[in-house]
Amino acid sequence: MRSRFDRQLETLNTMLIEMGMQVETAIAASIEALRKQDTVLAKKAIAADTEIDQQEKDIEAMCLKLLLQQQPVAKDLRLISAALKMITDMERIGDQAADIAEISIFLTQAPHVKTPEHIPQMATATAKMVTESIDAFVKKDLELANRVIADDDVVDRLFDAVKGDLIKLMSADSSNGSQAIDLLMIAKYLERIGDHATNIAEWVVFSITGKHEDAAGSEG
């Protein structure tokens, strides 16, 4: 029975990795759509959100199956509970990538006044946090999980830099205000993605140590 349970846990790990990859793809597509003013890429990111929603349901079903069919020990319960929490954060990341893509489509209607250089940097940093938080769960790597939590400060600093860029943009020409607000919303969604990746890492810490400290929180 234990060997069957362990195989099912491996399946759960694989499903989480696949969901994480889909989330990473959605983030990348939404930011590339913004950079290139490409509606096809934006729609790809929006479509990815539907797949991410389905993956959340599939993983939730797998977790419930593990809880009902087996008699997991405390460590297993922590792991399964953490997975259930993690997929909620990943689903929200998918939503936010789709939100970015929708704004990107709107922004194709006029040339960019200027795309703040820190937005692509934020996207790279947040996608890395998502990937590494899932890796930390699969590898049971406490050090990597804590590194992801620390990396949220990097994303927050980049968000402050974006705000500074956009204030300068609006100060130079008030007619840039509408586009600046849209770009600020994109940066805010990326900041939230960083918060969700931090949440995932915190649940990884819980799955390993049994302790959960909410350092980042989420937008609710």
Side-chain angles (χ1 to χ4, degrees):
M1 285 292 287
R2 182 69 212 188
S3 62
R4 180 169 173 243
F5 184 74
D6 287 339
R7 285 196 302 273
Q8 289 177 322
L9 286 178
E10 283 299 315
T11 300
L12 175 61
N13 284 345
T14 300
M15 293 169 77
L16 283 164
I17 291 168
E18 288 172 353
M19 188 175 179
M21 288 171 62
Q22 187 76 353
V23 165
E24 194 176 353
T25 297
I27 297 168
S30 64
I31 294 301
E32 192 69 358
L34 171 68
R35 190 177 71 81
K36 293 183 174 178
Q37 294 197 284
D38 187 328
T39 56
V40 174
L41 274 173
K43 288 174 182 175
K44 180 181 177 183
I46 293 167
D49 186 40
T50 302
E51 177 62 26
I52 290 164
D53 289 346
Q54 185 58 52
Q55 287 172 315
E56 181 193 26
K57 291 173 185 173
D58 293 343
I59 293 171
E60 186 177 56
M62 169 61 84
C63 289
L64 294 176
K65 180 180 176 183
L66 285 166
L67 290 171
L68 292 171
Q69 290 188 356
Q70 309 292 338
Q71 292 182 321
V73 296
K75 186 177 178 182
D76 298 326
L77 282 170
R78 289 202 308 268
L79 189 148
I80 296 165
S81 298
L84 284 166
K85 295 288 188 180
M86 287 163 59
I87 58 174
T88 299
D89 279 297
M90 283 198 279
E91 188 276 331
R92 288 180 180 172
I93 292 171
D95 288 344
Q96 283 145 8
D99 289 336
I100 291 169
E102 286 173 1
I103 295 174
S104 297
I105 290 172
F106 178 75
L107 288 171
T108 62
Q109 296 172 16
H112 286 165
V113 177
K114 180 190 175 187
T115 303
E117 59 186 277
H118 298 101
I119 286 181
Q121 292 174 24
M122 281 187 79
T124 299
T126 53
K128 178 172 173 279
M129 286 175 69
V130 173
T131 302
E132 290 186 347
S133 63
I134 303 300
D135 284 348
F137 179 78
V138 171
K139 296 172 183 175
K140 298 178 175 58
D141 189 331
L142 188 60
E143 183 180 343
L144 183 56
N146 283 319
R147 199 155 68 232
V148 171
I149 293 166
D151 282 347
D152 192 45
D153 289 339
V154 175
V155 173
D156 289 343
R157 285 195 296 271
L158 285 167
F159 179 60
D160 288 339
V162 171
K163 285 193 290 186
D165 288 345
L166 295 174
I167 288 168
K168 288 177 186 175
L169 191 64
M170 288 188 285
S171 297
D173 186 347
S174 60
S175 67
N176 296 331
S178 177
Q179 194 171 107
I181 290 168
D182 288 332
L183 291 169
L184 181 61
M185 283 302 302
I186 287 172
K188 186 62 183 175
Y189 286 132
L190 288 169
E191 185 200 31
R192 287 176 178 176
I193 289 171
D195 287 343
H196 286 302
T198 302
N199 289 347
I200 293 169
E202 287 168 353
W203 285 112
V204 173
V205 172
F206 168 77
S207 72
I208 297 167
T209 67
K211 296 177 182 177
H212 181 260
E213 295 181 11
D214 183 2
S218 66
E219 80 282 6

